[in-house]
Amino acid sequence: LFACVWMVVGVVSLTVLQVQISNFFYQISQERKRAGKDLFQLFNKIDKNRSGELDKYEFLTFCLAEYGLVSDEDIDTINNEFERLDASRNGSLSMHEVLGKFDRIRAAAPLSIRQSIVHPAHSGRRTLQSKE
């Protein structure tokens, strides 16, 4: 009985050690990714109007990239999609342009996923809505 208790304690301790080691190496890899980025180049890539300043949404993009939450490829893809959807070329998207794009994507999703999509209702409440 005494040996069983020590075996359980040993297994739990080893598991905790493995988790800590994994977290340590993950943090090192994230820091290396961040350190390898040229901040000046990242700033200039995100500063679309070349003003030398970031507006609120440019700063949001900068932080997402700096903290490794999105890749440069993700940012490029999103910016290209914006340009494609901006039919009027005025630098902004109308509700019709945005909803048209994402309604098509949601309509193509399987029924199980569509049933779990949450849309804000006109009353301000959030409701489940399914498209069939």
Side-chain angles (χ1 to χ4, degrees):
L1 182 64
F2 183 72
C4 291
V5 170
W6 280 110
M7 282 193 299
V8 170
V9 168
V11 168
V12 169
S13 298
L14 182 60
T15 303
V16 168
L17 177 64
Q18 288 175 329
V19 168
Q20 293 298 322
I21 290 171
S22 295
N23 285 339
F24 174 74
F25 285 114
Y26 176 75
Q27 288 175 350
I28 288 174
S29 71
Q30 289 298 97
E31 287 175 14
R32 283 185 180 161
K33 282 183 189 176
R34 287 179 54 199
K37 289 183 181 176
D38 180 359
L39 292 179
F40 183 75
Q41 183 181 4
L42 179 61
F43 184 96
N44 286 329
K45 180 178 183 174
I46 292 171
D47 183 18
K48 291 292 184 188
N49 61 0
R50 304 289 181 237
S51 66
E53 298 177 345
L54 299 181
D55 65 27
K56 183 178 183 177
Y57 298 103
E58 289 172 334
F59 179 70
L60 173 65
T61 304
F62 180 87
C63 289
L64 290 172
E66 170 61 14
Y67 295 132
L69 299 174
V70 296
S71 67
D72 289 344
E73 293 80 21
D74 293 334
I75 292 171
D76 290 339
T77 300
I78 292 168
N79 284 332
N80 290 338
E81 186 67 17
F82 181 92
E83 296 299 325
R84 192 179 71 72
L85 290 174
D86 186 14
S88 61
R89 302 288 178 234
N90 64 356
S92 63
L93 299 176
S94 69
M95 182 187 300
H96 176 72
E97 291 167 324
V98 173
L99 297 183
K101 159 75 174 166
F102 289 97
D103 277 345
R104 285 192 302 278
I105 291 172
R106 289 179 178 183
L111 179 60
S112 61
I113 294 173
R114 291 194 322 252
Q115 288 175 333
S116 66
I117 295 173
V118 178
H119 288 281
H122 294 291
S123 65
R125 295 178 292 121
R126 296 181 70 78
T127 61
L128 291 177
Q129 180 176 349
S130 174
K131 295 182 183 188
E132 296 186 10

